[in-house]
Amino acid sequence: MNETVKKNVWQKTPVVVLTAAFCCLLWGSAAPCIKIGYRLFGVDTANVPSVILFAGLRFTLAGLMVIAAGSLIEHTLLLPKKTSWKGILTLAALQTVIQYILFYNGVAHTSGVRTSIINACGTFFSIAVSVFFFRFEKLSAAKVIGSIAGFLGVLLIVTNGEAISGAPFTMAGEGILILSTLSSAFAGCAIKLFSRKENPVLLSGWQFFCGGLCMMGLGLLGGGRLMPSAAACVPLILYMAFISAGAYTFWGILLKYNEVSKVTICGFMNPVFGVIISAVLLGEFSEAANIYTLAALLLVVAGIVIVNRAPKAG
């Protein structure tokens, strides 16, 4: 009975839209916070182990937050069953370790505005992965047209209208950010798959914790180090942990009870929030107001809306 009530609640359109908007607001602030964090924690962005260590600290804390919150809600310690570990370790690899090693290093080599728009690639990759690899839904003309529009937007922002091999595009920045969104797409579909039989909050908390510990271990073994330089480091890292704890947990719940497309229609808010927050926190106003950036943002938003207005398969 409780499961039925929960399912009905999480499938209501206003709940989906408001919850997804909250997630996108959190995600939109991620890239600017990472850039600020590099400065406050004395992270040498040319030192990959230090970047990985910084990311690992965030996700270890995020995992502890989710596990603690889930345990309070369930009135019992949220511990994985033996059968849960396959999903936890798969998601830890895809959603935390691979995605964020790529993402954190990409953010270090491009602007917050660009990061926010490129990150929207995840929406279109999610549709492709859902259709061709997991068979969760069927391809349609609207999804094809929307995906083309979105990719044109991403292509425009990384090239500023120049050739793909031109100065604005680098594999160390924009290139690996695109690869990180591909990992994110597989992770999103994997969440839907594993949460059919597992508690998505448990999966989210433990995969963050395990993935974060793995990244911290890799960073320390590689000689990475952090040098906090201000009292603001503590609230910043806690907020960054909450970004992941809150956004991915609620997004996972939405994916559990809805089709991938119904949830990802709200993803158009992610690049919008990201561009605005990057302009405010990082002072990237000139880039945010650039004609290519605005055109790219419109194409990405239009693409996401078109993709997700596709009629449901009968």
Side-chain angles (χ1 to χ4, degrees):
M1 182 67 178
N2 289 336
E3 180 72 12
T4 302
V5 172
K6 287 182 181 178
K7 185 174 182 180
N8 289 338
V9 167
W10 290 110
Q11 284 185 319
K12 290 183 177 179
T13 299
V15 174
V16 173
V17 172
L18 289 174
T19 304
F22 175 66
C23 294
C24 289
L25 177 61
L26 291 175
W27 278 324
S29 66
C33 285
I34 290 170
K35 285 185 167 292
I36 293 171
Y38 286 152
R39 184 178 72 251
L40 292 180
F41 280 83
V43 176
D44 178 4
T45 55
N47 186 305
V48 174
S50 294
V51 171
I52 294 174
L53 177 60
F54 181 51
L57 175 61
R58 170 192 173 187
F59 292 109
T60 301
L61 291 173
L64 291 173
M65 281 185 181
V66 176
I67 293 168
S71 298
L72 287 174
I73 293 170
E74 299 289 337
H75 303 293
T76 184
L77 186 59
L78 207 62
L79 294 174
K81 303 186 296 289
K82 187 176 181 179
T83 55
S84 305
W85 284 106
K86 179 181 179 181
I88 289 170
L89 295 178
T90 300
L91 291 173
L94 288 173
Q95 189 172 335
T96 301
V97 178
I98 297 175
Q99 179 187 350
Y100 281 102
I101 284 179
L102 293 171
F103 185 78
Y104 266 64
N105 282 282
V107 167
H109 295 93
T110 191
S111 69
V113 167
R114 284 191 169 202
T115 298
S116 299
I117 296 179
I118 292 170
N119 211 34
C121 269
T123 298
F124 309 109
F125 282 141
S126 292
I127 297 300
V129 171
S130 177
V131 170
F132 296 112
F133 287 88
F134 288 86
R135 309 289 184 180
F136 286 153
E137 48 193 281
K138 294 183 179 179
L139 193 63
S140 68
K143 290 176 182 177
V144 172
I145 294 169
S147 294
I148 291 173
F151 277 116
L152 285 175
V154 173
L155 185 64
L156 185 60
I157 193 63
V158 300
T159 63
N160 276 355
E162 299 178 19
I164 192 69
S165 58
F169 180 89
T170 65
M171 274 306 301
E174 293 83 0
I176 62 173
L177 280 176
I178 292 173
L179 292 178
S180 78
T181 65
L182 181 58
S183 180
S184 173
F186 276 96
C189 289
I191 289 171
K192 184 173 180 65
L193 181 66
F194 289 119
S195 64
R196 288 173 175 174
K197 296 182 179 180
E198 301 288 347
N199 180 342
V201 177
L202 181 146
L203 287 175
S204 180
W206 281 94
Q207 72 89 5
F208 277 138
F209 182 67
C210 293
L213 284 180
C214 178
M215 293 172 77
M216 287 186 70
L218 290 172
L220 290 170
L221 286 173
R225 59 177 181 169
L226 304 178
M227 295 179 288
S229 60
C233 289
V234 174
L236 177 68
I237 197 65
L238 289 176
Y239 174 71
M240 290 174 67
F242 177 71
I243 290 174
S244 301
Y248 278 110
T249 298
F250 282 113
W251 198 262
I253 293 171
L254 292 179
L255 287 172
K256 176 180 175 69
Y257 294 112
N258 298 276
E259 291 184 349
V260 173
S261 293
K262 183 175 180 179
V263 178
T264 55
I265 186 173
C266 304
F268 76 86
M269 292 178 279
N270 198 341
V272 174
F273 283 135
V275 168
I276 293 172
I277 296 172
S278 292
V280 173
L281 294 184
L282 302 177
E284 296 177 356
F285 293 100
S286 60
E287 185 171 1
N290 181 293
I291 185 64
Y292 292 114
T293 299
L294 295 177
L297 187 60
L298 287 174
L299 280 169
V300 168
V301 170
I304 293 171
V305 172
I306 292 169
V307 161
N308 293 288
R309 284 181 64 84
K312 295 181 180 180

